[in-house]
Amino acid sequence: MKFSLLSPVYGTTIVAALLSAAAPAYAQSPEPVAALSAPVTVTDLTLEEAVEKAISSNIDVRMLKLDSDSAFYTTRLTLFNTNATNPDSISSLNGAKSKYETAADAIRDHLVAVASWKTQENTVRLDVHKAFFDAWAAQEKLDLQNKVLKMQEWARTSSEETEKVQEELEAAYREAITKLNLLMNENSSKEWRLIAKDYSSASQISIEECKNSAYERRPDMIKAAAEKAFAQAKVDYINSYASLSTYPGRIAKNDLEKNELLWQKSQKKSDKEIEDNYAKVTRSRQAVASVIAEEKAAEEAYRNAYISFLSGQVSKEELAGLEEKWLATTSKRIESTREYNLAVANLQYSTGF
């Protein structure tokens, strides 16, 4: 089984996949979170649905998308007019500028508008990824605490301490789910069952593939490429209808060289961000695999001790200690999974989603 570096992971059911493939994979979240107070209607919500809700309801994204669409139509009209000019009818540099520079400028305007729209959309997308995984982790920890309270046969802590932990987990969950709801323009108190699809069969993406994808998808790379293409168009028509040794030609050559340097600068920035984020994903993936192994061992030790406890071979205190260790590793696994998912989200953002 291959694993995609761009696939988040979920829940305890990824243990087998991790141990067999040495990499986490998407799986169904185990159970819905327990109700915090009165029964409420809980709706399923995937990461993809959360992203779609947030993007479709974000006013800034919608306005920039409209600007991008208008720029596209304006460009089409401009190209229709400039294409109507027969190259054979052009006899001066001004005539060439009217045709070729006007067309190149319109194309650049459209691509710059696309870059602005995608910048805002990708920012919202990253915010939703972070909020979704924060809410998922908070939900998992609260669910774990509720299970602990049900399975306990003796008091390991005082009632006051237990209530404090419960209140803190509930507050953390409420804060996380409220943030996610605000991003989606939903009622802040709305409950969700956070679920995910299985992407474990997706092929692994190499760091070079990430870089190449970023050159085409990152908004800053789109803008840099558009500026370079515009500068190249000016050099081309001046070279054809005048001379690059003229003042306009020299200026055009300087502009092209400058924009090529700016493109290279953007490329280096993109490569560095991807390399850093790719390394974080790799480290986080290894950390998840390690902590899941710890969790499995702790769970097995607890189960064996429980059997011994029933026959009087293990004391209540010893069993409580092993239970504490198992629960601690489970909580650690939840947090490691959240950190892995956030690392994946940052890598996706650096490639332009």
Side-chain angles (χ1 to χ4, degrees), residues 237-252:
Y237 83 75
I238 291 175
N239 189 44
S240 296
Y241 289 92
S243 171
L244 293 178
S245 63
T246 61
Y247 288 162
R250 292 176 182 178
I251 294 172

Side-chain angles (χ1 to χ4, degrees), residues 28-45:
Q28 290 287 350
S29 185
E31 298 178 8
V33 65
L36 299 182
S37 52
V40 294
T41 301
V42 181
T43 306
D44 290 351
L45 181 70

Side-chain angles (χ1 to χ4, degrees), residues 93-105:
L93 187 59
N94 284 336
K97 179 178 181 179
S98 178
K99 177 178 175 63
Y100 298 108
E101 185 172 333
T102 300
D105 189 35

Side-chain angles (χ1 to χ4, degrees), residues 14-260:
I14 62 176
V15 174
L18 264 168
L19 297 178
S20 62
Y26 246 138
Q28 290 287 350
S29 185
E31 298 178 8
V33 65
L36 299 182
S37 52
V40 294
T41 301
V42 181
T43 306
D44 290 351
L45 181 70
T46 66
L47 173 61
E48 294 80 5
E49 290 170 341
V51 169
E52 177 58 31
K53 284 176 176 288
I55 289 176
S56 63
S57 63
N58 186 278
I59 293 178
D60 290 333
V61 171
R62 291 170 62 185
M63 289 193 300
L64 288 169
K65 179 63 168 63
L66 290 172
D67 289 342
S68 175
D69 290 345
S70 295
F72 171 77
Y73 297 129
T74 300
T75 298
R76 296 291 296 176
L77 288 171
T78 300
L79 293 179
F80 178 80
N81 293 327
T82 56
N83 289 339
T85 302
N86 191 327
D88 294 336
S89 67
I90 299 175
S91 58
S92 67
L93 187 59
N94 284 336
K97 179 178 181 179
S98 178
K99 177 178 175 63
Y100 298 108
E101 185 172 333
T102 300
D105 189 35
I107 294 173
R108 178 183 62 174
D109 285 347
H110 173 234
L111 292 176
V112 169
V114 169
S116 297
W117 159 45
K118 284 297 181 182
T119 296
Q120 184 64 32
E121 182 180 282
N122 287 352
T123 298
V124 172
R125 195 181 296 271
L126 179 62
D127 288 343
V128 173
H129 276 67
K130 291 180 177 179
F132 187 94
F133 296 131
D134 284 347
W136 172 83
Q139 186 181 68
E140 289 284 286
K141 290 177 182 178
L142 179 58
D143 187 47
L144 175 64
Q145 175 69 7
N146 288 327
K147 288 178 181 177
V148 169
L149 295 176
K150 290 180 181 179
M151 69 185 286
Q152 284 178 345
E153 297 180 4
W154 55 84
R156 291 181 297 106
T157 59
S158 68
S159 176
E160 183 177 345
E161 291 175 339
T162 301
E163 289 178 2
K164 182 179 179 182
V165 171
Q166 186 80 4
E167 290 174 0
E168 290 176 350
L169 290 172
E170 288 182 0
Y173 169 73
R174 183 58 54 202
E175 180 181 355
I177 204 67
T178 296
K179 183 176 181 180
L180 179 61
N181 279 326
L182 290 175
L183 285 169
M184 297 187 298
N185 199 31
E186 295 279 357
N187 188 297
S188 62
S189 62
K190 186 172 179 59
E191 296 286 345
W192 302 98
R193 181 185 295 106
L194 304 180
I195 61 174
K197 299 177 182 177
D198 183 5
Y199 291 126
S200 59
S201 61
S203 60
Q204 186 169 349
I205 299 177
S206 70
I207 191 169
E208 291 304 320
E209 289 176 307
C210 288
K211 289 180 179 180
N212 291 332
S213 176
Y215 301 156
E216 298 180 358
R217 299 175 64 87
R218 277 177 63 114
D220 58 336
M221 293 299 297
I222 292 174
K223 183 177 179 180
E227 296 291 354
K228 187 172 72 167
F230 174 70
Q232 183 66 62
K234 290 176 66 175
V235 167
D236 290 343
Y237 83 75
I238 291 175
N239 189 44
S240 296
Y241 289 92
S243 171
L244 293 178
S245 63
T246 61
Y247 288 162
R250 292 176 182 178
I251 294 172
K253 286 171 60 180
N254 287 341
D255 287 344
L256 177 58
E257 183 177 356
K258 177 182 176 181
N259 281 286
E260 285 178 339

